[in-house]
Amino acid sequence: AQSVTQLGSHVSVSEGALVLLRCNYSSSVPPYLFWYVQYPNQGLQLLLKYTSAATLVKGINGFEAEFKKSETSFHLTKPSAHMSDAAEYFCAVSGRAGNMLTFGGGTRLMVKP
Amino acid sequence: DAGVIQSPRHEVTEMGQEVTLRCKPISGHDYLFWYRQTMMRGLELLIYFNNNVPIDDSGMPEDRFSAKMPNASFSTLKIQPSEPRDSAVYFCASSFRGKVNTEAFFGQGTRLTVV
């Protein structure tokens, strides 16, 4: 069984500030972890993924995430927020039983000018 | 490839009517997923297929929902009869399980409104 918890359904940052979106997972097998972004009225787009290679994963648009097994975490960061980063972000986990993804509840990121 | 294609993008129907949502996965992908997104419940997996065979339909809410995948390039999700609580955005996604677990690619979704 797998589950994902995203702490904070809403996060607000100022433009240029650090973005930190938290994700903790539970998995009975070594997990594969993903971050997706959803812009209004759009589908989900992959930001980055962890597949048991490097623990620090770099994605698109300057985002990166670090897999910490001891903390069962996969937090998403970006050094400097841009207005265009305003969107909803989803953390997801899948195991070895196919590519079925279990999603967290999502975090809506707001960026203030 | 054009990506995962869903139709229609928007559907408004009256309670009790049958609704059919359609999905064309990315060519060559062997997994297909149907998700539902609502404010209250977030993203929920309804059902997924592997090589056109339903693997897990435990997320299907009730017997009013059914899904088929007659071939590798087409899937449908049907609701009959529809109810207002079925109003949601329905996403189809596909993926290919190669040597390394790969991500799922999502369509743009179908926004269903049942009045």
Side-chain angles (χ1 to χ4, degrees), chain A residues 31-94:
Chain A
Y32 296 98
L33 294 158
F34 307 83
W35 276 99
Y36 282 84
V37 61
Q38 184 180 31
Y39 298 102
N41 300 314
Q42 298 291 317
L44 279 72
Q45 177 184 358
L46 182 73
L47 271 179
L48 49 80
K49 62 182 178 182
Y50 167 77
T51 57
S52 76
T55 56
L56 182 62
V57 181
K58 295 188 183 298
I60 62 172
N61 301 337
F63 284 93
E64 62 181 37
E66 186 172 9
F67 172 67
K68 292 187 177 181
K69 183 178 179 180
S70 61
E71 299 177 8
T72 61
S73 69
F74 191 56
H75 302 330
L76 182 70
T77 60
K78 181 174 180 178
S80 177
H82 192 273
M83 295 297 290
S84 60
D85 295 328
E88 188 149 21
Y89 292 80
F90 293 92
C91 182
V93 64
S94 72

Side-chain angles (χ1 to χ4, degrees), chain B residues 11 13-19 21 36-38 44 46 61-62 64-65 77-90 110-115:
Chain B
E11 177 79 43
T13 190
E14 292 185 347
M15 181 174 62
Q17 296 298 306
E18 176 180 298
V19 176
L21 311 182
R36 177 172 70 175
Q37 185 178 35
T38 61
E44 305 172 275
L46 300 178
E62 46 196 277
R64 298 184 296 106
F65 286 69
L77 178 67
K78 184 178 294 186
I79 308 172
Q80 165 64 17
S82 58
E83 297 182 3
R85 60 193 169 121
D86 301 330
S87 297
V89 181
Y90 291 81
T110 295
R111 182 175 295 276
L112 174 64
T113 303
V114 184
V115 298

Side-chain angles (χ1 to χ4, degrees), chain A residues 31-32 34 36 38 40-46 49-52 88 90 94-105 108, chain B residues 9-10 30-31 33 35 37 39 42-43 45 48 56 89 91 95-109 111:
Chain A
Y32 296 98
F34 307 83
Y36 282 84
Q38 184 180 31
N41 300 314
Q42 298 291 317
L44 279 72
Q45 177 184 358
L46 182 73
K49 62 182 178 182
Y50 167 77
T51 57
S52 76
E88 188 149 21
F90 293 92
S94 72
R96 289 175 181 165
N99 293 350
M100 184 188 77
L101 292 170
T102 300
F103 284 90
R108 184 168 299 278
Chain B
R9 286 295 308 276
H10 302 274
D30 54 353
Y31 282 85
F33 308 86
Y35 285 89
Q37 185 178 35
M39 289 292 292
L43 273 162
L45 178 67
Y48 77 98
D56 185 348
V89 181
F91 288 103
S95 68
F96 173 70
R97 189 172 189 189
K99 292 182 179 180
V100 176
N101 197 5
T102 62
E103 67 272 23
F105 293 81
F106 282 76
Q108 295 291 293
R111 182 175 295 276

Side-chain angles (χ1 to χ4, degrees), chain A residues 14-28:
Chain A
S14 297
E15 191 173 20
L18 171 72
V19 175
L20 171 60
L21 305 182
R22 299 178 185 274
C23 171
N24 288 89
Y25 70 91
S26 171
S27 178
S28 56

